[in-house]
């Protein structure tokens, strides 16, 4: 049975959900915890309008995706979450949240979130920028979790530096990954076809033959997690 905890601040709506996924790249069918960060604008659009389309929805991701080069607010889009099935799922999730649930994080919610993560794989940033989740909550979740993965495009920002222990820097070239290494980050390098980097190929990728899944592998768990080297994958 799925569970979810919702909290909100002035700009964003956060959903921490525990359920199963049919995506074999991510998990082998066991329940996992996933985090979602939506902007208030996306929530308001989803709960008050219909027929607006994917482009309009993802264009409202300034607060929750910030300046990520693949975000809708930057114009180009292209994030792997910008697909119809994910979009429909996001709308369904947002429409299941009542206005009265949009309350700040409380001690009770923190306790429920950390307990949800107990001995469970946690996937940070299933949608939205995971470094917007307060760092103490990320620490508490990873302490309880069996393993986790997480990625951030905010690795060059001062506010995000504490997250390097838990998340990978989302980078796109060997040069960028080397710069982040100087600041103590491990990188997940998403490469254009035909380019390469000095890193381990993602074992859950197509090019590596899907030899495992993210829940079992968990190499992408930051500087204090599992693994010491950078990880690479072809853009997908």
């Amino acid at each position: 049975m799925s569970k979810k905890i919702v909290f909100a601040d002035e700009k964003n709506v956060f959903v921490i959900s525990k359920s199963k996924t049919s995506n074999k790249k991510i998990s082998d069918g066991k329940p996992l915890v996933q985090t979602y960060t939506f902007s208030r604008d996306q929530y308001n659009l989803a709960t008050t309008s219909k027929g607006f389309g994917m482009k309009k929805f993802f264009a409202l991701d300034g607060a929750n995706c910030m300046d990520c080069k693949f975000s809708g607010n930057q114009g180009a889009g292209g994030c792997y979450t910008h697909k119809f099935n994910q979009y429909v799922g996001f709308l369904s999730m947002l429409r299941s949240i009542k206005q009265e649930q949009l309350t700040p994080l409380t001690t009770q919610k923190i306790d429920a979130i950390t307990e949800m993560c107990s001995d469970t794989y946690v996937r940070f940033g299933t949608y939205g920028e995971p470094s917007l989740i307060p760092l103490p909550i990320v620490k508490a979740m990873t302490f309880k979790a069996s393993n986790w993965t997480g990625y951030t495009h905010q690795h060059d920002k001062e506010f995000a530096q504490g997250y390097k222990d838990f998340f990978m820097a989302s980078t796109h070239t060997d040069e960028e990954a080397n710069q982040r290494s100087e600041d103590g980050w491990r990188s997940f390098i998403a490469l254009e076809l035909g380019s390469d980097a000095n890193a381990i190929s993602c074992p859950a990728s197509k090019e590596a033959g899907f030899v495992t899944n993210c829940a079992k592998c968990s190499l992408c768990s930051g500087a204090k997690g599992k693994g010491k080297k950078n990880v690479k994958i072809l853009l997908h």
Side-chain angles (χ1 to χ4, degrees):
M1 186 174 181
S2 63
K3 304 175 184 177
K4 68 180 178 184
I5 308 295
V6 177
F7 63 96
D9 59 22
E10 291 183 2
K11 294 182 178 180
N12 293 306
V13 175
F14 301 85
V15 182
I16 315 294
S17 172
K18 185 173 185 177
S19 61
K20 293 183 178 182
T21 177
S22 59
N23 189 335
K24 294 181 180 179
K25 179 185 181 298
I26 297 169
S27 176
D28 55 5
K30 294 179 181 177
L32 69 155
V33 172
Q34 301 189 83
T35 76
Y36 303 80
T37 307
F38 301 98
S39 70
R40 286 265 191 169
D41 290 338
Q42 288 177 321
Y43 174 81
N44 292 335
L45 180 69
T47 55
T48 62
S49 306
K50 291 184 178 180
F52 42 78
M54 290 173 58
K55 186 174 181 179
K56 185 172 183 179
F57 177 81
F58 288 118
L60 297 176
D61 63 5
N64 59 313
C65 293
M66 306 174 79
D67 61 356
C68 170
K69 63 183 288 186
F70 299 113
S71 63
N73 76 85
Q74 295 294 301
C79 176
Y80 70 93
T81 66
H82 293 185
K83 295 182 174 65
F84 185 74
N85 285 347
Q86 282 95 327
Y87 164 69
V88 171
F90 297 158
L91 293 186
S92 177
M93 178 176 285
L94 289 171
R95 287 167 178 165
S96 73
I97 300 170
K98 300 185 183 301
Q99 188 74 35
E100 53 265 32
Q101 292 178 267
L102 303 185
T103 55
L105 197 58
T106 62
T107 300
Q108 290 78 11
K109 288 184 179 183
I110 293 170
D111 289 344
I113 290 168
T114 53
E115 183 58 34
M116 186 188 293
C117 297
S118 182
D119 296 320
T120 302
Y121 164 58
V122 178
R123 185 187 183 208
F124 289 100
T126 300
Y127 178 66
E129 173 53 53
S131 66
L132 292 170
I133 302 170
L135 184 57
I137 309 306
V138 172
K139 289 181 178 179
M141 291 171 72
T142 58
F143 181 78
K144 281 279 192 176
S146 57
N147 44 43
W148 72 90
T149 55
Y151 313 86
T152 176
H153 272 98
Q154 301 304 309
H155 45 76
D156 60 340
K157 309 294 196 305
E158 184 62 34
F159 83 89
Q161 295 311 301
Y163 294 85
K164 71 181 67 168
D165 289 343
F166 310 102
F167 300 160
M168 307 292 280
S170 289
T171 59
H172 302 281
T173 65
D174 223 5
E175 291 74 19
E176 187 182 12
N178 289 336
Q179 289 176 350
R180 296 279 63 85
S181 294
E182 292 177 4
D183 294 328
W185 290 87
R186 290 175 60 223
S187 283
F188 184 74
I189 313 168
L191 297 166
E192 298 281 355
L193 187 64
S195 59
D196 200 4
N198 181 24
I200 299 169
S201 289
C202 167
S205 67
K206 180 179 179 181
E207 55 267 27
F210 301 115
V211 295
T212 188
N213 57 58
C214 296
K216 288 182 179 178
C217 175
S218 298
L219 279 176
C220 295
S221 46
K224 287 190 175 178
K226 183 179 177 181
K228 300 299 179 185
K229 296 184 178 181
N230 293 335
V231 180
K232 63 184 178 181
I233 195 171
L234 293 177
L235 278 171
H236 57 289

